[in-house]
Amino acid sequence: MELGAYERAKADRIAPAAGLSVVDVVALVPRLGPQQSAAAQPESTDDGGQAAAAVPAPGPVGALAPNLRRPEEQPAADDSGAASGKQPTAADERAQEVKAEAEAVTGVASPAVEEAAEQHDQEQTEPVPAPAAVSVAEHGRELPSIPAGERGDAWCVPTPNLASKRPNFTQQPRQMAFLDTDTGVLVHRDQVVRLDLGTASVSEILTAVYATVPDSVERIYITAGDPWHRDADRYPFLRDAVAAWLNAPVPGWQVESSRGKDRLAGHLVHPRNPVGRWQRGDQHIEIRSVGEWFDPADADPAVVRDAFVLLWKQLRHHWPDVTLMGSPSQTGRDLWSRTIPAKTGSKWSEGYPVMSEEIRGLLHATAGQGRTELIVPPRVPAKLPQLVEYDRTFAYAKHTWASGVGAPRRITAAAFAAMSAKEQTNALFAPSHWQIRVTVPDGWNHVGILPAPAAGDRAWYYPAEPGQTFTTWAGGAEVNLALRNPITPWRIEILDGLLWESGTPLRDWSAKLKDAWATLQALAANHGDQRQRTAAHLASRAVRSILLYGIGGFAQRPRITTRSVPAGHEHEIPAGAQIIGSDGETITWQRSAGFSRDPYAHPEWAAGVWSGARAALLSTKMREDNTFVGALHLPHDSIVAFRTDAIYTTHDATWPYRGQPGDYLKKGHLPGPVTGPRTEEELLSLQTLGRAHLDEEQEAGQ
């Protein structure tokens, strides 16, 4: 609190030092969060009211987006008990009928959309009126824009001679072993032994393991024990402890520098799931955490091995040449590459073009991932009557129906304004990414819909106060939802945008993974052996990770190089590097190496899936039940938090659950009164209690 009084204090600088998120810091010290500029603050009046809100400073000229709902139709009452009390209209229904998964979360243009657009043309729909607006500071982070004119247009030209093509080789499998460093139990194939690991340093692990298994084992998965955290109490951050563990001397071994064409050399310093890579002559070894694939909970190494076997068998039904690679991200990318059209003459058989480095950088900076938001009083009561957690099952699999392919078409404000209503509507339903100026409508009394940039790297918040105005980038699914949400349309001005042709590059890959997931889910529910049920459940979680992290892999973040030098050799640290840890003996640094010429880099696909998932977190339709679900269909003061695919609310909704991707599963219930969480740590504590209580309720009801 005292630090908050320091004029130069900033949330994005304090958060890493305190081991908190930016949102946590702002919740504790509101002054460090977004502040309205003095010019934008409403003036007090003598009668206790407020003067008219100040008009924001002039900015780039935008083109007003159309109201996607027919003006003469008012939303019907919602049977969920939500304060919004409104449903999407018949016009919305017509725009969604052709494709089930095109519902405002995939951005698919369809004949139904064109029909609705033609009606808009004929009816000359009035635009959303401009309410008085209050400008909101950008939290100290300004998002990039596309340059004007030919320079910006050149960004839309894909990278020359770089495309995603189907591979003409088969991945070579690598033998793996599974090790619990708490118990010393090692499993390799059918062999189960107990090792003496000493303090579980890298040197002790490699010595003990290779005294038992052949040198052909190239991958050791740690199933429990987290040896890289053994000395965590000696360091201010987990990352420092992990770096020290990875970089400790390993007699006879050296850090892997290269392996043929494999660019994944050297260590990955991650606080929870690090990867260590070493070599001894021609022998190579990786030590990895099985937590990359799934949380093994209390499963022993033999059950974890069985989970990998079941995973491989199920994937083999769809990919006869499947090879499980080191991480789910690598595996997901490899499996996807084997679904690229190969038939000569078929569309995209020559490969999917990779966006320019400028567009990739723009998407990296402006397309966030999951929504993480903690809502505190006075927007919610200090004492909650109860806390219920709803989590979307295998959510990202629901948003892979269509994606943008080919070179993007730039849509400037002038170009958008020159479009007919039909063309504008089709553009707003298509795979797209928009730079927009947004105004929260007067009378709005619910959670925010669109992300705005917050202080800190890739941090976002969601303005919800009536009259607030801000400039941001957002995916087509979210812009679409803001214009036709079940309460009232938001005012959106198009400043710039990227529009892609609609294609299905992820559909086949996703369908195969969903099938494998469903089969393993059924096996986990029905197998007669408890250990095999556990293994099947873990394998189904691994399939989820393959899709989840496979999509994240398409985002292709800038390469980060991590290295260490002995203390006293600071002069060897390259310019532009950031020191991330020091234990008195070694100094660990990292540096961004920019974007590589990665033939499988498609951030436009990852951005589209993430945008669709965030939109569905607010409103989506369960077609089998003709029911709308999501946060906007709950009472406005019942939403406590969002966490990626989960909603935490005080309202016990009766949403149907069929176990399908995208369905909302009631995952926790904590009876009240409950003191509302003020930090992420408090939310996670309540999450744990709520899940345990719901398990007890369900067991008592059986």
Side-chain angles (χ1 to χ4, degrees):
M1 294 298 182
E2 293 179 3
L3 187 59
Y6 180 51
E7 183 178 355
R8 299 178 64 183
K10 293 184 180 296
D12 57 330
R13 296 181 181 178
I14 295 172
L20 300 171
S21 70
V22 172
V23 174
D24 291 338
V25 173
V26 173
L28 292 169
V29 190
R31 192 203 71 76
L32 298 175
Q35 303 294 321
Q36 294 179 1
S37 63
Q41 293 287 354
E43 300 176 0
S44 299
T45 59
D46 293 338
D47 61 0
Q50 291 183 336
V55 177
V61 177
L64 191 64
N67 180 357
L68 297 184
R69 300 191 301 182
R70 295 179 66 180
E72 70 274 15
E73 293 179 330
Q74 295 298 323
D78 182 7
D79 62 3
S80 69
S84 63
K86 300 176 182 180
Q87 289 274 27
T89 67
D92 295 337
E93 294 297 324
R94 286 194 299 276
Q96 298 178 60
E97 285 299 330
V98 176
K99 299 293 185 182
E101 295 191 36
E103 177 205 351
V105 292
T106 58
V108 178
S110 69
V113 176
E114 294 183 0
E115 177 186 344
E118 288 172 356
Q119 292 178 350
H120 276 286
D121 274 342
Q122 295 167 3
E123 297 162 359
Q124 297 180 344
T125 304
E126 292 295 325
V128 182
V134 178
S135 180
V136 176
E138 296 281 4
H139 276 171
R141 183 166 65 101
E142 183 176 353
L143 297 180
S145 300
I146 303 175
E150 294 182 358
R151 180 169 166 240
D153 295 342
W155 284 23
C156 295
V157 178
T159 302
N161 304 315
L162 190 65
S164 304
K165 297 182 179 180
R166 192 183 186 110
N168 56 6
F169 64 91
T170 301
Q171 294 284 358
Q172 296 302 308
R174 299 182 184 180
Q175 288 193 43
M176 60 186 73
F178 303 90
L179 176 65
D180 182 333
T181 60
D182 277 340
T183 64
V185 173
L186 174 75
V187 174
H188 171 244
R189 297 184 182 273
D190 294 330
Q191 180 184 13
V192 180
V193 297
R194 189 179 297 272
L195 307 178
D196 181 1
L197 299 176
T199 63
S201 66
V202 174
S203 179
E204 290 168 314
I205 289 174
L206 294 182
T207 298
V209 168
Y210 282 111
T212 306
V213 303
D215 290 352
S216 55
V217 171
E218 298 184 72
R219 192 173 291 139
I220 300 172
Y221 281 113
I222 306 299
T223 64
D226 296 344
W228 37 82
H229 292 162
R230 290 296 170 92
D231 295 325
D233 57 348
R234 293 176 49 195
Y235 300 90
F237 302 108
L238 281 179
R239 189 184 185 95
D240 295 340
V242 171
W245 186 84
L246 289 171
N247 290 295
V250 185
W253 296 82
Q254 65 182 31
V255 177
E256 184 179 61
S257 57
S258 65
R259 188 194 298 207
K261 296 182 179 180
D262 189 351
R263 292 170 296 177
L264 295 176
H267 303 322
L268 170 64
V269 181
H270 187 281
R272 300 289 179 185
N273 299 312
V275 181
R277 301 182 178 95
W278 295 267
Q279 65 184 80
R280 181 171 61 182
D282 293 333
Q283 183 182 0
H284 298 261
I285 180 63
E286 287 183 337
I287 295 181
R288 312 184 71 113
S289 169
V290 80
E292 292 180 89
W293 292 85
F294 47 72
D295 178 3
D298 297 324
D300 60 53
V303 171
V304 173
R305 172 206 57 197
D306 291 346
F308 274 82
V309 171
L310 285 173
L311 172 65
W312 177 79
K313 287 181 177 179
Q314 285 303 320
L315 294 177
R316 195 178 178 209
H317 289 309
H318 301 288
W319 289 278
D321 58 350
V322 60
T323 294
L324 297 182
M325 304 181 74
S327 71
S329 176
Q330 295 169 328
T331 304
R333 175 179 289 196
D334 182 66
L335 294 179
W336 171 77
S337 70
R338 299 174 193 281
T339 65
I340 298 174
K343 185 178 179 180
T344 302
S346 61
K347 194 167 188 178
W348 310 115
S349 62
E350 296 301 315
Y352 292 102
V354 174
M355 299 299 98
S356 67
E357 185 169 339
E358 292 83 1
I359 290 297
R360 282 180 277 159
L362 177 75
L363 289 168
H364 172 72
T366 62
Q369 194 171 349
R371 178 169 180 165
T372 301
E373 183 181 17
L374 183 61
I375 301 173
V376 297
R379 292 177 60 189
V380 295
K383 284 287 186 180
L384 308 178
Q386 63 178 343
L387 186 63
V388 187
E389 176 189 5
Y390 293 97
D391 186 68
R392 296 187 71 216
T393 297
F394 204 9
Y396 286 1
K398 184 73 173 178
H399 306 288
T400 54
W401 183 267
S403 304
V405 290
R409 174 187 169 196
R410 184 181 184 185
I411 307 294
T412 63
F416 189 85
M419 290 178 171
S420 67
K422 173 182 176 180
E423 292 170 328
Q424 289 181 346
T425 301
N426 282 341
L428 293 169
F429 273 87
S432 51
H433 193 62
W434 302 96
Q435 185 181 32
I436 51 179
R437 183 162 48 236
V438 183
T439 302
V440 183
D442 288 341
W444 184 262
N445 191 25
H446 219 294
V447 297
I449 292 181
L450 292 165
D457 182 38
R458 296 177 59 75
W460 305 87
Y461 76 110
Y462 293 81
E465 293 298 320
Q468 284 184 306
T469 182
F470 58 97
T471 299
T472 190
W473 283 85
E478 291 165 287
V479 174
N480 190 302
L481 177 64
L483 291 168
R484 63 190 193 98
N485 71 80
I487 302 175
T488 189
W490 283 34
R491 176 184 171 87
I492 293 178
E493 298 170 72
I494 302 296
L495 303 178
D496 213 336
L498 298 169
L499 182 65
W500 284 270
E501 175 186 345
S502 182
T504 58
L506 303 178
R507 187 187 298 181
D508 187 31
W509 173 71
S510 176
K512 291 176 177 179
L513 290 176
K514 284 188 284 188
D515 182 75
W517 172 81
T519 301
L520 290 166
Q521 284 279 92
L523 190 62
N526 301 313
H527 201 288
D529 182 87
Q530 176 59 48
R531 290 175 63 86
Q532 286 301 299
R533 287 201 298 270
T534 300
H537 170 70
L538 296 179
S540 73
R541 299 297 291 174
V543 174
R544 174 185 177 275
S545 294
I546 288 173
L547 186 137
L548 177 69
Y549 295 117
I551 289 171
F554 287 125
Q556 197 227 12
R557 294 169 177 83
R559 295 169 297 169
I560 302 295
T561 299
T562 303
R563 293 288 185 270
S564 297
V565 299
H569 289 247
E570 289 83 354
H571 61 279
E572 298 179 11
I573 299 176
Q578 176 187 9
I579 295 176
I580 60 173
S582 175
D583 60 3
E585 297 181 1
T586 60
I587 300 173
T588 304
W589 56 267
Q590 70 178 19
R591 181 176 62 170
S592 174
F595 294 95
S596 65
R597 280 184 59 86
D598 184 350
Y600 299 122
H602 290 285
E604 68 277 16
W605 299 347
V609 171
W610 296 338
S611 178
R614 290 193 301 269
L617 197 62
L618 300 177
S619 180
T620 190
K621 185 178 181 179
M622 297 184 66
R623 293 189 169 276
E624 299 87 347
D625 301 279
N626 195 32
T627 299
F628 285 88
V629 297
L632 293 180
H633 302 278
L634 295 172
H636 69 93
D637 58 352
S638 73
I639 310 298
V640 176
F642 296 98
R643 189 171 172 82
T644 309
D645 299 319
I647 302 173
Y648 297 82
T649 175
T650 60
H651 186 75
D652 201 349
T654 56
W655 295 338
Y657 181 74
R658 297 175 177 269
Q660 298 299 312
D663 288 0
Y664 278 94
L665 171 65
K666 185 177 181 180
K667 208 167 184 177
H669 174 224
L670 189 61
V674 179
T675 300
R678 299 298 185 94
T679 66
E680 184 179 12
E681 183 179 8
E682 291 178 0
L683 175 64
L684 293 177
S685 296
L686 295 177
Q687 176 197 79
T688 300
L689 294 173
R691 291 180 179 182
H693 187 270
L694 181 62
D695 287 343
E696 293 175 0
E697 286 182 331
Q698 292 173 339
E699 289 176 3
Q702 291 178 350

XYZ file of all heavy atoms in Angstrom, residues 205-242:
309
model
N 20.492 -38.012 -10.992
C 19.425 -38.666 -11.753
C 19.993 -39.409 -12.959
O 19.673 -40.590 -13.192
C 18.372 -37.626 -12.181
C 17.566 -37.151 -10.973
C 17.441 -38.212 -13.246
C 16.596 -36.030 -11.279
N 20.825 -38.734 -13.755
C 21.363 -39.366 -14.961
C 22.236 -40.562 -14.609
O 22.192 -41.604 -15.290
C 22.145 -38.346 -15.781
C 21.334 -37.202 -16.384
C 22.229 -36.296 -17.225
C 20.171 -37.721 -17.223
N 23.023 -40.456 -13.544
C 23.881 -41.570 -13.140
C 23.045 -42.775 -12.734
O 23.313 -43.915 -13.163
C 24.796 -41.140 -11.978
O 25.637 -40.078 -12.405
C 25.662 -42.307 -11.509
N 22.017 -42.544 -11.915
C 21.186 -43.652 -11.440
C 20.353 -44.264 -12.561
O 20.224 -45.494 -12.654
C 20.272 -43.161 -10.315
N 19.789 -43.424 -13.413
C 18.920 -43.934 -14.480
C 19.718 -44.775 -15.468
O 19.321 -45.900 -15.832
C 18.210 -42.779 -15.195
C 17.549 -43.268 -16.493
C 17.157 -42.158 -14.288
N 20.878 -44.287 -15.908
C 21.623 -45.009 -16.946
C 22.427 -46.172 -16.389
O 23.028 -46.929 -17.159
C 22.500 -44.046 -17.732
C 21.670 -43.259 -18.732
C 21.455 -41.896 -18.570
C 21.054 -43.904 -19.800
C 20.666 -41.197 -19.459
C 20.254 -43.210 -20.696
C 20.063 -41.848 -20.513
O 19.266 -41.162 -21.386
N 22.386 -46.355 -15.085
C 22.904 -47.596 -14.510
C 21.865 -48.703 -14.603
O 22.163 -49.874 -14.343
C 23.303 -47.367 -13.051
N 20.648 -48.309 -14.985
C 19.527 -49.260 -15.013
C 18.950 -49.464 -16.412
O 18.596 -50.589 -16.782
C 18.401 -48.756 -14.082
O 18.927 -48.523 -12.780
C 17.266 -49.764 -14.013
N 18.858 -48.427 -17.202
C 18.233 -48.521 -18.523
C 19.295 -48.343 -19.603
O 20.380 -47.801 -19.343
C 17.134 -47.438 -18.689
C 16.082 -47.569 -17.595
C 17.736 -46.045 -18.693
N 19.013 -48.792 -20.835
C 20.004 -48.651 -21.916
C 20.194 -47.201 -22.332
O 19.329 -46.340 -22.103
C 19.401 -49.486 -23.048
C 17.945 -49.524 -22.768
C 17.815 -49.526 -21.277
N 21.314 -46.935 -22.978
C 21.610 -45.579 -23.446
C 20.642 -45.110 -24.519
O 20.604 -43.910 -24.833
C 23.043 -45.513 -24.004
C 24.098 -45.643 -22.917
O 23.710 -45.629 -21.734
O 25.283 -45.757 -23.259
N 19.857 -46.015 -25.091
C 18.905 -45.636 -26.142
C 17.715 -44.856 -25.595
O 16.957 -44.260 -26.364
C 18.406 -46.894 -26.869
O 17.847 -47.821 -25.941
N 17.535 -44.830 -24.264
C 16.479 -44.008 -23.669
C 16.877 -42.546 -23.824
O 17.946 -42.139 -23.380
C 16.261 -44.356 -22.183
C 15.322 -43.343 -21.536
C 15.707 -45.767 -22.040
N 16.021 -41.757 -24.463
C 16.350 -40.364 -24.759
C 15.459 -39.355 -24.059
O 15.646 -38.144 -24.219
C 16.259 -40.112 -26.274
C 17.232 -40.933 -27.100
C 17.151 -40.580 -28.561
O 17.604 -39.487 -28.940
O 16.595 -41.384 -29.332
N 14.496 -39.855 -23.296
C 13.570 -38.923 -22.655
C 13.170 -39.475 -21.292
O 12.709 -40.625 -21.202
C 12.349 -38.728 -23.539
C 11.443 -37.585 -23.153
C 10.354 -37.383 -24.196
N 10.905 -36.872 -25.450
C 10.532 -37.268 -26.659
N 9.594 -38.203 -26.769
N 11.078 -36.747 -27.732
N 13.358 -38.682 -20.259
C 12.948 -39.054 -18.901
C 11.844 -38.096 -18.476
O 12.062 -36.878 -18.386
C 14.127 -38.978 -17.905
C 15.251 -39.917 -18.323
C 13.648 -39.325 -16.495
C 16.524 -39.747 -17.495
N 10.658 -38.641 -18.221
C 9.556 -37.838 -17.716
C 9.517 -37.939 -16.194
O 9.462 -39.037 -15.638
C 8.220 -38.315 -18.283
C 7.940 -37.838 -19.692
C 7.889 -38.738 -20.755
C 7.700 -36.496 -19.948
C 7.623 -38.305 -22.045
C 7.430 -36.057 -21.240
C 7.401 -36.959 -22.270
O 7.143 -36.522 -23.546
N 9.534 -36.789 -15.534
C 9.384 -36.748 -14.081
C 7.895 -36.731 -13.773
O 7.178 -35.802 -14.150
C 10.065 -35.517 -13.473
C 11.539 -35.447 -13.899
C 9.932 -35.523 -11.961
C 12.377 -36.631 -13.468
N 7.414 -37.763 -13.089
C 5.980 -37.872 -12.800
C 5.600 -37.247 -11.467
O 4.437 -36.897 -11.251
C 5.544 -39.344 -12.802
O 6.205 -40.037 -11.729
C 5.905 -40.021 -14.129
N 6.554 -37.136 -10.566
C 6.313 -36.515 -9.254
C 7.662 -36.151 -8.660
O 8.693 -36.714 -9.010
C 5.548 -37.471 -8.330
N 7.627 -35.192 -7.742
C 8.857 -34.833 -7.054
C 9.387 -33.457 -7.378
O 10.006 -32.812 -6.526
N 9.202 -33.014 -8.611
C 9.679 -31.684 -9.027
C 11.077 -31.382 -8.483
O 11.274 -30.456 -7.686
C 8.723 -30.599 -8.553
C 7.349 -30.712 -9.191
O 7.233 -31.419 -10.206
O 6.390 -30.109 -8.671
N 12.087 -32.147 -8.902
C 13.425 -31.953 -8.317
C 13.996 -30.563 -8.542
O 14.834 -30.107 -7.768
C 14.261 -33.030 -9.024
C 13.532 -33.310 -10.308
C 12.083 -33.173 -9.960
N 13.552 -29.868 -9.580
C 14.038 -28.516 -9.872
C 13.578 -27.492 -8.842
O 14.018 -26.355 -8.871
C 13.566 -28.091 -11.265
C 12.186 -28.566 -11.586
C 11.012 -27.992 -11.217
C 11.832 -29.744 -12.322
N 9.941 -28.728 -11.675
C 10.411 -29.814 -12.364
C 12.572 -30.753 -12.956
C 9.731 -30.845 -13.003
C 11.890 -31.772 -13.590
C 10.485 -31.813 -13.613
N 12.688 -27.925 -7.918
C 12.229 -27.025 -6.862
C 12.863 -27.360 -5.507
O 12.492 -26.770 -4.491
C 10.710 -27.102 -6.710
C 9.966 -26.546 -7.880
N 8.632 -26.826 -8.134
C 10.360 -25.723 -8.885
C 8.250 -26.211 -9.228
N 9.278 -25.540 -9.704
N 13.821 -28.289 -5.478
C 14.371 -28.751 -4.209
C 14.973 -27.614 -3.380
O 14.904 -27.609 -2.172
C 15.426 -29.837 -4.465
C 14.863 -31.158 -4.975
C 13.960 -31.811 -3.929
N 13.222 -32.936 -4.459
C 13.646 -34.199 -4.405
N 14.830 -34.469 -3.875
N 12.904 -35.161 -4.885
N 15.588 -26.648 -4.013
C 16.227 -25.536 -3.301
C 15.464 -24.233 -3.475
O 16.044 -23.141 -3.411
C 17.673 -25.363 -3.783
C 18.543 -26.548 -3.432
O 18.318 -27.136 -2.354
O 19.444 -26.896 -4.217
N 14.148 -24.336 -3.691
C 13.356 -23.142 -3.984
C 13.405 -22.118 -2.858
O 13.315 -20.911 -3.108
C 11.906 -23.542 -4.269
N 13.578 -22.575 -1.608
C 13.597 -21.625 -0.492
C 14.842 -20.752 -0.485
O 14.907 -19.759 0.253
C 13.466 -22.367 0.837
C 14.540 -23.422 1.041
O 15.254 -23.749 0.064
O 14.669 -23.930 2.178
N 15.822 -21.078 -1.310
C 17.051 -20.284 -1.377
C 16.946 -19.144 -2.392
O 17.848 -18.306 -2.479
C 18.237 -21.181 -1.771
C 18.622 -22.214 -0.735
C 19.736 -23.089 -1.274
N 20.834 -22.301 -1.852
C 21.782 -22.806 -2.645
N 21.750 -24.089 -2.965
N 22.731 -22.021 -3.116
N 15.860 -19.131 -3.164
C 15.753 -18.165 -4.259
C 14.474 -17.356 -4.135
O 13.449 -17.848 -3.640
C 15.776 -18.899 -5.604
C 17.035 -19.691 -5.834
C 17.132 -21.026 -5.440
C 18.147 -19.096 -6.425
C 18.291 -21.751 -5.638
C 19.311 -19.817 -6.645
C 19.378 -21.132 -6.248
O 20.536 -21.850 -6.445
N 14.488 -16.122 -4.631
C 13.276 -15.291 -4.536
C 12.159 -15.753 -5.458
O 10.990 -15.536 -5.180
C 13.774 -13.891 -4.922
C 15.002 -14.128 -5.751
C 15.634 -15.366 -5.182
N 12.521 -16.409 -6.577
C 11.513 -16.865 -7.531
C 11.805 -18.306 -7.932
O 12.972 -18.736 -7.969
C 11.502 -15.977 -8.782
C 11.242 -14.530 -8.492
C 12.264 -13.591 -8.592
C 9.984 -14.101 -8.113
C 12.033 -12.253 -8.318
C 9.744 -12.765 -7.837
C 10.767 -11.842 -7.932
N 10.737 -19.045 -8.254
C 10.899 -20.425 -8.695
C 11.786 -20.522 -9.924
O 12.556 -21.466 -10.087
C 9.522 -21.041 -8.998
C 8.689 -21.515 -7.810
C 7.362 -22.079 -8.308
C 9.438 -22.572 -6.999
N 11.655 -19.546 -10.806
C 12.438 -19.575 -12.035
C 13.932 -19.604 -11.742
O 14.701 -20.271 -12.427
C 12.074 -18.358 -12.888
C 12.648 -18.374 -14.289
C 12.321 -17.073 -15.024
N 12.770 -17.147 -16.407
C 12.015 -17.503 -17.422
N 10.755 -17.824 -17.205
N 12.490 -17.532 -18.650
N 14.354 -18.874 -10.696
C 15.764 -18.869 -10.325
C 16.204 -20.248 -9.848
O 17.295 -20.723 -10.177
C 16.021 -17.835 -9.230
C 15.779 -16.409 -9.697
O 15.794 -16.188 -10.929
O 15.569 -15.539 -8.855
N 15.351 -20.892 -9.038
C 15.680 -22.230 -8.547
C 15.776 -23.225 -9.697
O 16.676 -24.081 -9.734
C 14.619 -22.689 -7.538
N 14.854 -23.125 -10.652
C 14.870 -24.020 -11.815
C 16.136 -23.808 -12.643
O 16.798 -24.768 -13.054
C 13.608 -23.793 -12.679
C 13.719 -24.553 -14.003
C 12.366 -24.222 -11.922
